[in-house]
Amino acid sequence: TGNVAFFGNGVSVKNVTLDNIHVTATGNPENQCAGIVSSDANTNIENVIVKNSSVVGGKYTGAIVGYNYGSITNCTVLNCTVSGQYKVGGVVGYICNSNNGETCVTGNKLTNVNVKAENVLTGKTAIIGKFVGNWNATVGTCNDNIFSGTTEAINNIGKTESGCTVTE
């Protein structure tokens, strides 16, 4: 329940392949964060492959991370489903300023990843993006990411908060 992931909060993950991993958050969706690699974290994730997997979450949901203050670089997500109830992204549901340098979501490749919002939280409008659901970092980059396939997400970033510097 609450914040869920295959690897826990605050763990940096590099050079690993995860196949057939299924993460489902339960409990109060207002307090949920779900990702396959990490949930609510100040982490740097690099060269991770997630394939044939799914993540179902609440407020913040992403294939790699639900909520992050770090960087996600050179990861691959293949044949996966990402479903959340508010801020949902193919890589990360919600990302903001890093405590360890510049925030970035770069060099990631998503193929046949279905990013969607389901059972949207009462009073909210779903925010979904192919790569990032909600970008709230004042400094950082989101570039050189490749998406192929179809998804409910129209934009690469579902919502960019004012004052952010983002290149897609």
Side-chain angles (χ1 to χ4, degrees):
T1 63
N3 297 334
V4 297
F6 188 74
F7 293 104
N9 187 7
V11 176
S12 291
V13 181
K14 294 181 182 181
N15 306 319
V16 66
T17 298
L18 300 168
D19 189 1
N20 201 28
I21 302 296
H22 303 281
V23 173
T24 301
T26 60
N28 181 358
E30 283 282 351
N31 299 325
Q32 286 177 6
C33 212
I36 290 175
V37 175
S38 189
S39 56
D40 181 5
N42 184 15
T43 64
N44 294 314
I45 298 169
E46 184 178 349
N47 297 319
V48 171
I49 299 170
V50 176
K51 59 184 181 177
N52 307 314
S53 299
S54 66
V55 60
V56 177
K59 190 172 184 178
Y60 308 115
T61 307
I64 303 291
V65 184
Y67 187 109
N68 197 26
Y69 295 93
S71 295
I72 306 157
T73 56
N74 301 319
C75 294
T76 300
V77 181
L78 175 65
N79 300 325
C80 294
T81 300
V82 181
S83 174
Q85 295 177 310
Y86 183 34
K87 296 178 180 182
V88 187
V91 174
V92 59
Y94 183 88
I95 194 162
C96 52
N97 287 333
S98 172
N99 296 332
N100 299 324
E102 185 177 291
T103 298
C104 65
V105 177
T106 60
N108 301 291
K109 182 178 180 182
L110 281 69
T111 305
N112 297 325
V113 178
N114 188 9
V115 183
K116 59 186 178 176
E118 294 183 310
N119 303 315
V120 176
L121 294 173
T122 303
K124 303 286 186 181
T125 300
I127 299 170
I128 59 175
K130 292 176 186 172
F131 301 103
V132 178
N134 191 170
W135 183 283
N136 194 20
T138 55
V139 177
T141 57
C142 181
N143 57 21
D144 299 325
N145 297 297
I146 299 169
F147 185 96
S148 62
T150 60
T151 181
E152 288 183 18
I154 297 170
N155 299 315
N156 289 335
I157 299 174
K159 181 178 180 182
T160 303
E161 302 292 332
S162 61
C164 296
T165 304
V166 177
T167 48
E168 294 184 63

